[in-house]
């Protein structure tokens, strides 16, 4: 995966704001409402620029707002079967601490379309309608190699713990930033609106002394 260059990201963001000055006003208005409003264009840019260009990586990624969720579509290779996958992702649970980053998501409207004339077992199951795509969590639960961050899968819900990703859990900067931010702010909800991803925050000014103490310890 290409490593992001902060200078390139800053230049790209600056050019985007020049073309869309209304985003500055929206960002200020969102900040007053304790929200971070991220244009969906930013997510599309990241997917376009930083998804690895190899055989196993998703192709032709589409990211759209489907309020309050996010519609994602991509061409993928699943067990040697080329598929066009589409779904709407709803983020329904967020629980972040120094030891866990749990995110509960609900998958709606999953479709898997076989591309070409594949005759693999998976293609046969999909074409026959034998797989219940309304409960993708149950299908994921039977995956032989589940990613470590997937801690629960049932019906139409998946629960992820990003702290199960070693590179994230073992990164001292992540723990340092969390120890400063968590006493004063937490993520209440993540929803889409008007082609933006809005991160709703909850402030706790009572935790300010703890945040200051944590900041001093990291200096």
């Amino acid at each position: 995966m290409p490593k992001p260059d902060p200078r390139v990201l800053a230049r790209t963001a600056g050019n985007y704001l020049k073309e869309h000055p209304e985003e500055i006003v929206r960002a200020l208005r969102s900040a007053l409402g304790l929200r971070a409003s991220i244009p969906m264009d930013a997510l599309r840019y990241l997917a376009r620029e930083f998804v690895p260009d190899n055989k196993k990586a998703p192709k032709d990624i589409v990211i759209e707002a489907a309020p309050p969720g996010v519609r994602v579509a991509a061409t993928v290779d699943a067990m040697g079967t080329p598929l066009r996958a589409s779904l709407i992702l709803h983020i329904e649970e967020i629980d972040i601490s120094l030891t866990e980053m749990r995110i509960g998501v609900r998958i709606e409207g999953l479709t898997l379309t076989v591309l070409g004339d594949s005759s693999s077992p998976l293609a046969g199951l999909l074409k026959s309608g034998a797989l219940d795509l309304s409960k993708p969590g149950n299908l994921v639960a039977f995956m032989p190699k589940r990613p470590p961050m997937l801690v629960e899968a049932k019906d139409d819900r998946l629960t992820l713990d990003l702290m199960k990703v070693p590179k994230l859990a073992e990164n001292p900067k992540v723990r340092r930033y969390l120890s400063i931010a968590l006493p004063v702010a937490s993520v209440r909800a993540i929803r889409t609106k008007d082609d933006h991803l809005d991160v709703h925050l909850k402030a706790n000014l009572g935790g300010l002394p703890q945040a200051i103490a944590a900041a001093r310890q990291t200096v």
Side-chain angles (χ1 to χ4, degrees):
M1 180 175 179
K3 187 175 181 180
D5 186 332
R7 293 172 297 180
V8 173
L9 293 178
R11 184 166 60 250
T12 302
N15 292 337
Y16 182 83
L17 291 176
K18 288 179 182 179
E19 297 175 3
H20 301 274
E22 70 278 4
E23 291 294 341
I24 299 175
V25 177
R26 184 186 180 99
L28 292 174
R29 188 167 62 243
S30 297
L32 292 174
L34 290 179
R35 296 190 308 275
S37 190
I38 304 168
M40 299 297 288
D41 281 339
L43 302 184
R44 297 178 190 118
Y45 169 81
L46 293 175
R48 187 170 60 249
E49 296 295 324
F50 298 110
V51 170
D53 185 14
N54 59 52
K55 189 175 182 179
K56 294 184 178 180
K59 304 286 192 304
D60 304 319
I61 300 174
V62 175
I63 302 175
E64 300 174 331
V70 179
R71 179 180 288 106
V72 181
T75 299
V76 298
D77 185 290
M79 295 183 286
T81 306
L83 303 173
R84 184 64 182 175
S86 178
L87 57 88
I88 298 176
L89 200 65
H90 298 273
I91 300 176
E92 297 188 334
E93 175 192 353
I94 305 167
D95 187 7
I96 301 176
S97 68
L98 290 178
T99 57
E100 288 185 327
M101 283 191 185
R102 291 177 67 92
I103 300 176
V105 302
R106 179 170 60 84
I107 297 174
E108 176 189 354
L110 173 64
T111 62
L112 297 174
T113 304
V114 179
L115 302 179
D117 56 356
S118 175
S119 58
S120 70
L122 177 58
L125 289 171
L126 289 171
K127 291 177 180 179
S128 68
L131 293 180
D132 183 3
L133 299 182
S134 68
K135 297 181 179 180
N138 294 345
L139 299 178
V140 173
F142 287 101
M143 289 175 54
K145 293 183 179 180
R146 293 169 53 174
M149 67 177 177
L150 179 61
V151 295
E152 187 177 353
K154 184 178 180 182
D155 295 336
D156 60 352
R157 283 182 55 89
L158 303 177
T159 302
L160 311 175
D161 182 0
L162 300 185
M163 279 298 193
K164 299 291 186 182
V165 179
K167 287 186 178 181
L168 190 63
E170 297 169 5
N171 189 328
K173 290 184 179 180
V174 171
R175 183 173 294 275
R176 183 160 63 244
Y177 294 148
L178 287 176
S179 67
I180 297 172
L182 288 177
V184 294
S186 59
V187 178
R188 183 165 52 88
I190 299 178
R191 305 186 182 100
T192 57
K193 183 180 179 181
D194 301 331
D195 206 39
H196 286 72
L197 186 71
D198 290 339
V199 181
H200 298 255
L201 303 173
K202 181 178 180 180
N204 176 24
L205 296 181
L208 194 57
Q210 184 180 347
I212 294 173
R216 287 174 175 171
Q217 289 178 359
T218 61
V219 174

